[in-house]
Amino acid sequence: MNGKKRSWTGVIAVSVAVALSLTACAPGAGSAPAESSGPVSKDVAGAGDVTLTVWDQNTDEGITDAQEKLNAAFSAKYPNVKIDRVTQSFADLKTTLKLALSGDNPPDVVQANQGYPDMGAFVQGGLIRSLNDYDGLYDWSSYYPESLLKINSFSADGKTWQGDNLYGISQTGEVVGIYYNKKILTQLGVEAPTSLDELEKDMAAAKAAGILPMAYGDIEKSPGIHLFGVVQAAIAGSDAVNKLVTGADGAWTDDASVTAAKTIQDWSSKGYITEGANGVSRDDALAQFEAGQSAFYIVGTWKQAAISEAMGDDAGFTTLIPKGADSPVTTGGEGLAWAVTTGSKHPDVAAAYIDFINNADAAKTFIDENSLPSVIPADYTPKPGLETDVFDTYGKVTSSGGLVPYLDYSTPTFYDTLTSAVQQLTDKQVTPEAFTEILQKDYSGFVGSK
Amino acid sequence: MTVTTRLRSGETRPAGAAPSRARRRRVASLKAFLYVAPALAFSLIFLIVPTLQTAWYSLYDWNGLSVATWAGVQNYIDIVQDEQLRDSFMHVGVLVVFYSFLPIAIALLLTMVISRAHALRGMSFFRTVLFLPQVIASVVIATTWLSIYSPNGLLNTLLRAIGLDSLTRVWLGDFNTALVSVGFVGTWLNVGLCLVLFLSGVGNVQPELFEAARLDGASGLQEFFGITLPALRGQITVALTLTVVSSLKTFDLVYITTRGGPGNSTSVPAFEAYNRAFNSGQVGSAASVAVVLTIGILLITALIGRLQPKDTE
């Protein structure tokens, strides 16, 4: 009995000691490495033998091949640099990157998602370094259009998105738009829509002809962001949505957002989108569209290669022009930002690497692999068909400032809030007004606490 | 060092002056402690410290990266006040019915039928089939049911085939049926486990008891309530513990089939803890959910343990 009692007191004593040593400071205190502020250089060959650990999410076919080619080319140019590539899906990267960055041995180069939930939190935690000094060396500011640089920028404290410090550069361009089936539109005798009114007219015609107007599957919850984003952008315009997402001005309960919510619920009531979409997977909906069973499908340009392979010349891509505007406005931006970690021991090599895989030569590698680069080379003529649609649209929206950010960038918890609210909206569990109030509650809590 | 010297001095002492009993016992217990030290160190590092850390995190408002701010018990208050978190605990309550109570009831019914047909041919085959769901990886099970519940899946096709078109729906996408649909997968999963437990329990009952009951003219029901059920008390407790715990910590099925949707209608505490910790940067809130869940599981397990008959062990 005696021994048993003693071992218990031992365990308790140890537990208390551990608990006390833990509570000595708040979680996260003193974990961020100090930012090096030494002089920067372009010199890679003189850095000696370096192993660069790189975390990316370029897993899509085409994009991963391009990445492999670029890595091989970099190592061929600088034999002293070995690239240790760690690649995983977007969702896996999102969940593991925070842990990797806050650990003792962070990777040197990582792909960080833009917006407050990821990049903002990394900047705030001092985990990725400002690239302003390297921008001076490599002149990214003149290669990328202003609108794309802004998306990858934050204030130094990580609290204001699109601030003065550049934290990354991106390889690929992204626009969310409406893919359409040319055969079905010809059969209905309508043109590809360029405004919300036209889209609704086309969908009504499809419905009347017994064709599903728009395939939509939302079991994974993320497609809801794109559906609402495209409609909201076409109603509110780029300025209002940009200000809203960056936290500069406006509210989710504003008229434009309520109208967008009403429009989507209306589509659901009229049977314009797949019935019971909350139980249909995104891939099943896409397969339905690809099989010619629906007239429209909303998704980003990253599906260009897949859709073009499945449908050939039957597929087209369009975006919507808001009332009173003369160019399209839609959700989009660029691929995840390539960033350099604060803990990297070889920032010069890391910066040279991200320049190498993002520059104009790299853009050509991506085009060769049927992917849309963030900056389309001026001398490149896209292949006729879907590629022309996609490349032209991207050129138009980036040059006219028609890109609005992904709505889930708004607050750290907005992804969950928005996706679950859209599911409630399409299933008529909430009114459009109540839908916008759910969003506003999350938003005002975050914006108010900044 | 002190341990070994003491030991050695004890050994070299002449036989007549044996060390006191208490000291010998202390030496023995220290020795025993050395034997368990590796295991203890392991559980200390990988179990006890993380548990304490989680409890400590739960008192902070922390995004996992920046310096945390003290939140006191606010995260715990939120569990009660935040509709989404509160609902997740309600949902898990519903799941207990489907994961635990229903399978046990169904398995008891099957036991009653099967135990009367002792010489059923191919019994071991059926037992294997019924137990199979327990052996298959839960990801495979979830993906299979995802397809069964899909708009043109097996379930809707069957309903249409027998003319019940009005009942067809997108089971996992409907706010009214999603939670029940997820729960039913748990029922299917756990029936086999309960049945195998109960059948082994019935196998321990002396056949003479059944014989005697039959000679006395007992009906099947009387036999079940008079002999089978009391004999199975131990197994029912085990089944209850296993299935209730598995329902409370449900994560995989929800993660794969619905991700908590539609809306939040199938979110459960384990999923909320995961999502808040790794996706939405609410580590403190996630930790508090985990702490409440752990305490809940410990309490319920302890309560169920009281049902365990003392004499059978």
Side-chain angles (χ1 to χ4, degrees):
Chain A
M1 246 9 249
N2 216 353
K4 202 173 176 187
K5 221 180 257 167
R6 194 165 336 108
S7 72
W8 268 110
T9 38
V11 168
I12 292 168
V14 170
S15 315
V16 170
V18 169
L20 282 178
S21 69
L22 287 176
T23 36
C25 60
S31 61
E35 189 158 340
S36 64
S37 52
V40 295
S41 116
K42 271 188 170 182
D43 184 27
V44 174
D49 283 338
V50 173
T51 299
L52 212 57
T53 307
V54 177
W55 279 37
D56 70 58
Q57 55 96 44
N58 282 346
T59 52
D60 282 327
E61 211 182 304
I63 295 185
T64 187
D65 299 335
Q67 190 63 42
E68 284 292 339
K69 273 189 201 168
L70 292 169
N71 284 354
F74 187 77
S75 285
K77 189 173 173 193
Y78 302 109
N80 59 323
V81 180
K82 190 176 158 263
I83 305 223
D84 183 8
R85 182 183 181 208
V86 180
T87 183
Q88 49 196 323
S89 73
F90 172 72
D92 288 345
L93 181 78
K94 214 169 144 56
T95 49
T96 54
L97 191 56
K98 280 181 191 166
L99 295 172
L101 285 175
S102 54
D104 288 335
N105 278 310
D108 296 284
V109 174
V110 298
Q111 269 194 297
N113 198 17
Q114 292 90 345
Y116 290 109
D118 296 272
M119 192 186 268
F122 300 159
V123 173
Q124 220 170 359
L127 301 171
I128 55 176
R129 85 194 286 294
S130 158
L131 296 177
N132 286 0
D133 42 3
Y134 288 109
D135 182 26
L137 284 183
Y138 294 102
D139 204 17
W140 294 319
S141 298
S142 52
Y143 176 67
Y144 287 97
E146 173 74 24
S147 61
L148 292 187
L149 288 167
K150 256 173 37 189
I151 298 176
N152 286 335
S153 300
F154 256 97
S155 62
D157 61 1
K159 288 189 173 166
T160 312
W161 187 33
Q162 311 200 346
D164 297 331
N165 285 3
L166 183 68
Y167 284 96
I169 50 176
S170 304
Q171 289 170 317
T172 52
E174 289 176 358
V175 180
V176 178
I178 303 155
Y179 288 89
Y180 57 90
N181 185 316
K182 287 182 184 164
K183 263 193 193 155
I184 293 180
L185 294 199
T186 317
Q187 182 194 331
L188 297 172
V190 296
E191 293 285 312
T194 54
S195 72
L196 201 59
D197 286 347
E198 286 177 28
L199 175 65
E200 289 193 305
K201 260 179 224 151
D202 291 359
M203 291 206 291
K207 185 76 193 168
I211 299 166
L212 173 67
M214 184 180 286
Y216 173 63
D218 194 27
I219 203 167
E220 294 90 349
K221 294 178 129 185
S222 62
I225 300 174
H226 301 150
L227 178 68
F228 186 71
V230 164
V231 176
Q232 187 200 33
I235 293 170
S238 73
D239 195 44
V241 180
N242 263 308
K243 280 183 176 154
L244 191 57
V245 178
T246 53
D249 190 26
W252 288 88
T253 41
D254 288 346
D255 286 347
S257 297
V258 177
T259 312
K262 270 186 191 147
T263 308
I264 288 171
Q265 199 163 62
D266 190 40
W267 289 2
S268 180
S269 309
K270 286 179 177 160
Y272 286 0
I273 56 178
T274 307
E275 202 193 325
N278 291 338
V280 179
S281 83
R282 174 177 55 193
D283 289 346
D284 284 349
L286 177 60
Q288 215 178 0
F289 171 71
E290 286 176 344
Q293 288 161 4
S294 82
F296 300 105
Y297 183 73
I298 290 182
V299 77
T301 46
W302 54 89
K303 283 286 175 201
Q304 174 207 331
I307 290 175
S308 141
E309 194 176 311
M311 301 175 67
D313 291 338
D314 289 343
F317 182 78
T318 183
T319 42
L320 307 177
I321 303 170
K323 264 190 200 126
D326 45 17
S327 61
V329 176
T330 191
T331 306
E334 49 196 333
L336 271 69
W338 289 88
V340 177
T341 60
T342 320
S344 171
K345 290 183 183 68
H346 312 285
D348 287 344
V349 180
Y353 172 74
I354 64 169
D355 177 66
F356 188 87
I357 60 169
N358 284 283
N359 63 20
D361 287 336
K364 288 195 181 103
T365 312
F366 276 93
I367 293 176
D368 289 344
E369 297 292 345
N370 291 320
S371 303
L372 172 67
S374 49
V375 178
I376 302 168
D379 57 351
Y380 179 72
T381 321
K383 295 186 272 289
L386 192 59
E387 187 179 291
T388 302
D389 281 358
V390 166
F391 278 47
D392 283 359
T393 307
Y394 181 70
K396 245 187 275 171
V397 285
T398 41
S399 63
S400 67
L403 276 185
V404 302
Y406 293 101
L407 303 179
D408 52 304
Y409 293 171
S410 308
T411 82
T413 49
F414 214 65
Y415 180 92
D416 284 337
T417 307
L418 177 61
T419 54
S420 98
V422 173
Q423 285 191 327
Q424 296 179 48
L425 179 72
T426 53
D427 203 47
K428 295 176 233 41
Q429 298 285 316
V430 291
T431 61
E433 288 79 9
F435 165 82
T436 57
E437 275 153 23
I438 296 173
L439 305 185
Q440 182 60 25
K441 194 178 152 213
D442 181 328
Y443 182 72
S444 59
F446 175 70
V447 173
S449 74
K450 269 204 293 185
Chain B
M1 266 326 268
T2 45
V3 177
T4 47
T5 29
R6 256 188 215 159
L7 205 63
R8 217 170 280 146
S9 65
E11 276 166 2
T12 51
R13 217 171 277 207
S20 74
R21 274 187 116 189
R23 168 177 282 192
R24 215 186 302 151
R25 204 185 286 151
R26 198 183 308 148
V27 171
S29 92
L30 278 169
K31 243 174 132 184
F33 181 75
L34 281 178
Y35 280 116
V36 299
L40 189 65
F42 193 83
S43 54
L44 202 66
I45 295 168
F46 293 105
L47 199 72
I48 296 169
V49 171
T51 309
L52 290 173
Q53 256 179 329
T54 307
W56 169 58
Y57 290 164
S58 72
L59 302 175
Y60 283 87
D61 186 10
W62 189 33
N63 70 359
L65 296 173
S66 312
V67 179
T69 49
W70 178 257
V73 291
Q74 189 55 45
N75 286 327
Y76 292 94
I77 296 174
D78 283 349
I79 293 181
V80 186
Q81 287 182 343
D82 184 331
E83 199 184 346
Q84 195 179 335
L85 284 176
R86 204 175 52 213
D87 282 354
S88 74
F89 280 91
M90 303 282 205
H91 296 152
V92 93
V94 175
L95 288 186
V96 169
V97 175
F98 282 94
Y99 274 60
S100 187
F101 301 163
L102 262 182
I104 289 176
I106 294 172
L108 279 176
L109 201 77
L110 287 172
T111 310
M112 188 164 81
V113 176
I114 293 175
S115 65
R116 277 185 76 85
H118 267 306
L120 190 64
R121 285 177 99 196
M123 190 54 226
S124 62
F125 171 75
F126 289 114
R127 219 181 283 189
T128 311
V129 169
L130 283 165
F131 195 68
L132 215 51
Q134 286 290 326
V135 185
I136 302 172
S138 54
V139 178
V140 178
I141 289 175
T143 314
T144 311
W145 280 92
L146 200 56
S147 129
I148 293 174
Y149 284 137
S150 68
N152 293 311
L154 189 64
L155 183 57
N156 283 338
T157 315
L158 262 176
L159 286 174
R160 276 182 210 117
I162 55 174
L164 290 173
D165 294 51
S166 59
L167 284 182
T168 60
R169 66 191 66 227
V170 186
W171 297 91
L172 290 171
D174 192 308
F175 279 78
N176 300 318
T177 58
L179 188 61
V180 174
S181 302
V182 171
F184 187 75
V185 180
T187 309
W188 175 81
L189 191 64
N190 284 341
V191 165
L193 173 77
C194 298
L195 185 65
V196 168
L197 271 174
F198 296 163
L199 284 179
S200 74
V202 171
N204 288 337
V205 182
Q206 284 169 339
E208 289 83 4
L209 272 177
F210 287 108
E211 239 166 72
R214 266 167 235 176
L215 282 176
D216 287 344
S219 70
L221 268 182
Q222 283 171 325
E223 202 182 296
F224 178 76
F225 284 108
I227 303 172
T228 317
L229 203 57
L232 286 179
R233 218 174 120 189
Q235 279 78 12
I236 293 176
T237 317
V238 172
L240 209 54
T241 313
L242 289 176
T243 53
V244 167
V245 171
S246 83
S247 67
L248 291 179
K249 64 189 182 75
T250 305
F251 170 79
D252 36 17
L253 278 183
V254 167
Y255 179 80
I256 293 163
T257 53
T258 62
R259 299 214 147 223
N264 297 315
S265 61
T266 58
S267 76
V268 288
F271 182 78
E272 286 291 335
Y274 158 81
N275 201 33
R276 281 165 190 253
F278 296 108
N279 284 329
S280 56
Q282 299 162 284
V283 180
S285 168
S288 69
V289 173
V291 167
V292 170
L293 188 61
T294 309
I295 293 173
I297 289 178
L298 286 177
L299 276 181
I300 290 172
T301 317
L303 279 178
I304 294 173
R306 299 196 139 215
L307 291 174
Q308 179 87 26
K310 297 276 183 296
D311 50 344
T312 54
E313 292 307 305

